[in-house]
Amino acid sequence: MKLKLVYIYSFVVTLLYLLTACTDGIEASSDSNGQGEGKEIPVSIMPKLVAGDENEVSQLRVIIFSTRTSNPYGPKVLVSNQLIDVNEDYVAITYIGYNDIYVIGNEPVDLSGINSPEELKNIQMNTESSLSASKFVFFRQLLNVNVWSKNEIYPEGASASVSKLEIKLQRVIAKLSVKFDLSTEICENGNPTGEFVNLESMELLRIPKYSYLASCKYRIEEGFLDNRVFSLENSSAEQNHFTWSSGDIYLPEYLPMDEIYRMVLRIKGTSRGITRIYTLPIGDAMNSIDSHSTEWNITRNRHYSLNIKAITGYGEESLEVKSNVSGWSEVNVPIEITGASFLAVNKKTVEVKSLRFYSYVRFACNAPVEVKLPDEVTIGNQLQMTIEYDDATKKSGRVGFRRGNWNTGNDIIYVTTLKSGTASVELNLQLYRSETIRVGNNLVTWAEAMGYWEEAN
């Protein structure tokens, strides 16, 4: 009995030792793989500092979900959902770990209540208004961005790290242009028939009623809008020749579940009193070399162009057409994981014109800012300056400059430095010379030029 107890005790001790050793190994491995996980890290988004038509993008929303751990399969939680102005740089806080970053320009609906990726991906938009949109919706996502630290950012699938992410915002719609430049005579097998077609109209069929903020297959049961009809008016002065250009026609993104329901362009004309109908399908497959797809999708941010060159028969697809699928322009928004010191401004040149009012430059940072003027310039009669923070955190605000009382000469530029921690940005202060205005034979006094009472002289 005692021997049996000794064996049991030895077995338990050995088992505990093995469990401890294994646990220590797991903990050591976890620490080495997830070093710094859960640590906050600032992310700067700089819309003002990038190429793109600022008139098209008036605001951006940035939504970030993070695992906050080194586990790529862990649940992602919302860490940031902010609407920002394109005239201002923006700093969000995310975490070391795996991050999904969504950037939306000109949001179609209020997305401030979004709390999960599923909610965001289910945003459905009415497409009727977007067919003649004056302001387009933009969207892009970066999924599973593995943030280790500043300068160690791994986009999904990348084996090498980058120091800055770039999101190329794409329009959630596409555009189509159709150009006619052809003889109206029908040719069969390359031989003229002596029969001419009077081209009258074209119409787009199967325009979906809805599209989605994030790309999604369209549910056919949702139905389609009424056909869009375009009147064809010949602009050619040449006999039996037809020319016409549609300009840009905007199309919602349309990913049909069945190519039977693909979008088509139906062209109508008459010859000898008989209606001739020519049908052309619209989508990526019309030029699979350019689009790299044999699907009949209307893909967002693409330009589909048709150049109709000849009538080769009496109907259906009896047209000689040159088709092209190309990318539409994108708006680039750089996203940078910042270190201990970060500073960004919304402009580098400040026109300092007024004696009485400040000209401002906005900044975003993660430490209080200071201004270093050139050695020959002093605050006082040459220049006046103010720093105004947005709140007590001193993470954003504006710096204002105005001229001092002294005449500064003709249009000189002072190069000054805005600093935050170890980060710095140079600003060009363009000062305009002081002027007085002659009224009749009398000179305007200094006080009057400054807007003060006469006694101020």
Side-chain angles (χ1 to χ4, degrees), residues 15 19-20 57 97 147 184 188 261 264 337 353 375 394 406-407 409 411-412 435:
L15 183 60
L19 286 173
T20 303
V57 185
V147 178
T184 58
E188 282 192 303
Y261 297 98
V264 297
I337 305 298
K353 295 181 178 181
D375 293 337
K394 297 188 176 182
W406 290 354
N407 191 316
D411 298 347
I412 62 175
E435 294 181 353

Short mmCIF file of all heavy atoms in Angstrom, two decimals, residues 15 19-20 57 97 147 184 188 261 264 337 353 375 394 406-407 409 411-412 435:
data_model
loop_
_atom_site.label_atom_id
_atom_site.label_comp_id
_atom_site.label_asym_id
_atom_site.label_seq_id
_atom_site.Cartn_x
_atom_site.Cartn_y
_atom_site.Cartn_z
N LEU A 15 3.72 14.95 -13.22
CA LEU A 15 2.69 15.59 -14.05
C LEU A 15 2.65 17.09 -13.81
O LEU A 15 2.56 17.89 -14.77
CB LEU A 15 1.33 14.96 -13.73
CG LEU A 15 0.13 15.47 -14.55
CD1 LEU A 15 0.36 15.20 -16.04
CD2 LEU A 15 -1.16 14.81 -14.09
N LEU A 19 3.34 20.00 -16.57
CA LEU A 19 2.35 21.05 -16.84
C LEU A 19 2.96 22.43 -16.65
O LEU A 19 2.73 23.35 -17.43
CB LEU A 19 1.14 20.88 -15.92
CG LEU A 19 0.19 19.72 -16.27
CD1 LEU A 19 -0.88 19.57 -15.19
CD2 LEU A 19 -0.49 20.00 -17.62
N THR A 20 3.75 22.59 -15.60
CA THR A 20 4.39 23.89 -15.34
C THR A 20 5.36 24.25 -16.46
O THR A 20 5.41 25.38 -16.93
CB THR A 20 5.14 23.84 -14.00
OG1 THR A 20 4.22 23.49 -12.97
CG2 THR A 20 5.79 25.19 -13.70
N VAL A 57 -14.50 65.47 -52.58
CA VAL A 57 -14.52 64.86 -51.24
C VAL A 57 -14.58 65.98 -50.21
O VAL A 57 -13.61 66.69 -50.00
CB VAL A 57 -13.28 63.98 -51.01
CG1 VAL A 57 -13.39 63.27 -49.67
CG2 VAL A 57 -13.12 62.97 -52.12
N GLY A 97 -1.81 45.15 -32.85
CA GLY A 97 -2.63 43.98 -33.11
C GLY A 97 -3.13 44.03 -34.54
O GLY A 97 -2.54 44.70 -35.40
N VAL A 147 -0.35 45.62 -36.97
CA VAL A 147 0.47 46.71 -36.45
C VAL A 147 1.35 46.17 -35.33
O VAL A 147 0.84 45.72 -34.30
CB VAL A 147 -0.42 47.86 -35.94
CG1 VAL A 147 0.44 48.97 -35.34
CG2 VAL A 147 -1.30 48.40 -37.06
N THR A 184 -24.13 54.73 -91.82
CA THR A 184 -25.44 54.17 -91.44
C THR A 184 -25.87 53.05 -92.39
O THR A 184 -26.96 52.50 -92.24
CB THR A 184 -26.51 55.26 -91.44
OG1 THR A 184 -26.57 55.87 -92.74
CG2 THR A 184 -26.21 56.31 -90.38
N GLU A 188 -23.06 43.31 -94.69
CA GLU A 188 -23.07 41.90 -94.30
C GLU A 188 -21.85 41.22 -94.89
O GLU A 188 -21.61 41.31 -96.10
CB GLU A 188 -24.35 41.21 -94.79
CG GLU A 188 -25.57 41.52 -93.95
CD GLU A 188 -26.73 40.60 -94.29
OE1 GLU A 188 -27.14 40.56 -95.46
OE2 GLU A 188 -27.20 39.92 -93.36
N TYR A 261 -29.13 38.26 -66.16
CA TYR A 261 -29.65 39.57 -65.75
C TYR A 261 -28.60 40.68 -65.92
O TYR A 261 -28.71 41.72 -65.27
CB TYR A 261 -30.10 39.50 -64.30
CG TYR A 261 -31.25 38.54 -64.08
CD1 TYR A 261 -31.01 37.25 -63.62
CD2 TYR A 261 -32.55 38.92 -64.35
CE1 TYR A 261 -32.06 36.36 -63.42
CE2 TYR A 261 -33.61 38.03 -64.16
CZ TYR A 261 -33.34 36.75 -63.70
OH TYR A 261 -34.38 35.87 -63.51
N VAL A 264 -27.69 45.73 -70.10
CA VAL A 264 -27.52 45.79 -71.55
C VAL A 264 -27.88 47.18 -72.06
O VAL A 264 -28.64 47.93 -71.44
CB VAL A 264 -28.38 44.73 -72.29
CG1 VAL A 264 -27.95 43.33 -71.92
CG2 VAL A 264 -29.85 44.95 -72.02
N ILE A 337 1.14 55.24 -39.07
CA ILE A 337 1.23 54.88 -37.65
C ILE A 337 2.38 55.71 -37.07
O ILE A 337 3.52 55.61 -37.49
CB ILE A 337 1.53 53.39 -37.47
CG1 ILE A 337 0.49 52.55 -38.22
CG2 ILE A 337 1.56 53.03 -35.99
CD1 ILE A 337 -0.92 52.72 -37.73
N LYS A 353 -1.59 88.92 -44.07
CA LYS A 353 -1.94 90.18 -44.71
C LYS A 353 -2.36 91.27 -43.73
O LYS A 353 -2.15 92.44 -43.96
CB LYS A 353 -3.08 89.96 -45.71
CG LYS A 353 -2.71 89.06 -46.88
CD LYS A 353 -3.90 88.92 -47.82
CE LYS A 353 -3.55 88.07 -49.03
NZ LYS A 353 -4.68 87.93 -49.97
N ASP A 375 16.08 83.94 -36.85
CA ASP A 375 16.87 84.72 -35.89
C ASP A 375 16.63 86.22 -36.01
O ASP A 375 16.65 86.95 -35.01
CB ASP A 375 18.36 84.42 -36.06
CG ASP A 375 18.69 82.98 -35.68
OD1 ASP A 375 17.92 82.40 -34.89
OD2 ASP A 375 19.71 82.46 -36.16
N LYS A 394 -4.39 69.41 -25.74
CA LYS A 394 -3.36 70.05 -26.57
C LYS A 394 -2.88 69.13 -27.68
O LYS A 394 -1.70 69.11 -28.05
CB LYS A 394 -2.18 70.52 -25.71
CG LYS A 394 -2.56 71.58 -24.68
CD LYS A 394 -1.34 72.16 -23.97
CE LYS A 394 -1.76 73.28 -23.02
NZ LYS A 394 -0.60 73.90 -22.35
N TRP A 406 5.29 97.64 -37.60
CA TRP A 406 6.32 98.16 -38.48
C TRP A 406 6.06 97.73 -39.92
O TRP A 406 5.57 96.65 -40.20
CB TRP A 406 7.70 97.65 -38.05
CG TRP A 406 8.17 98.24 -36.76
CD1 TRP A 406 7.58 99.23 -36.04
CD2 TRP A 406 9.33 97.86 -36.04
NE1 TRP A 406 8.29 99.51 -34.93
CE2 TRP A 406 9.38 98.68 -34.88
CE3 TRP A 406 10.33 96.93 -36.22
CZ2 TRP A 406 10.39 98.57 -33.95
CZ3 TRP A 406 11.34 96.83 -35.29
CH2 TRP A 406 11.38 97.63 -34.16
N ASN A 407 6.47 98.60 -40.84
CA ASN A 407 6.41 98.25 -42.24
C ASN A 407 7.43 97.13 -42.50
O ASN A 407 8.60 97.25 -42.17
CB ASN A 407 6.77 99.48 -43.09
CG ASN A 407 6.48 99.25 -44.57
OD1 ASN A 407 6.78 98.21 -45.11
ND2 ASN A 407 5.89 100.25 -45.19
N GLY A 409 8.26 95.81 -45.44
CA GLY A 409 8.90 95.79 -46.76
C GLY A 409 8.02 95.09 -47.78
O GLY A 409 6.87 94.73 -47.52
N ASP A 411 6.55 92.22 -49.78
CA ASP A 411 6.24 90.79 -49.94
C ASP A 411 7.40 89.87 -49.55
O ASP A 411 7.89 89.08 -50.37
CB ASP A 411 5.83 90.50 -51.38
CG ASP A 411 4.59 91.27 -51.77
OD1 ASP A 411 3.94 91.81 -50.86
OD2 ASP A 411 4.27 91.33 -52.96
N ILE A 412 7.84 89.93 -48.32
CA ILE A 412 8.93 89.06 -47.89
C ILE A 412 8.35 87.79 -47.27
O ILE A 412 7.16 87.73 -46.91
CB ILE A 412 9.83 89.77 -46.86
CG1 ILE A 412 9.04 90.13 -45.61
CG2 ILE A 412 10.50 90.98 -47.46
CD1 ILE A 412 9.91 90.72 -44.51
N GLU A 435 0.73 99.60 -46.10
CA GLU A 435 0.46 100.69 -47.03
C GLU A 435 -0.43 101.74 -46.37
O GLU A 435 -1.26 101.42 -45.52
CB GLU A 435 -0.24 100.18 -48.29
CG GLU A 435 0.62 99.26 -49.15
CD GLU A 435 -0.11 98.80 -50.40
OE1 GLU A 435 -1.32 99.09 -50.52
OE2 GLU A 435 0.52 98.16 -51.26
#
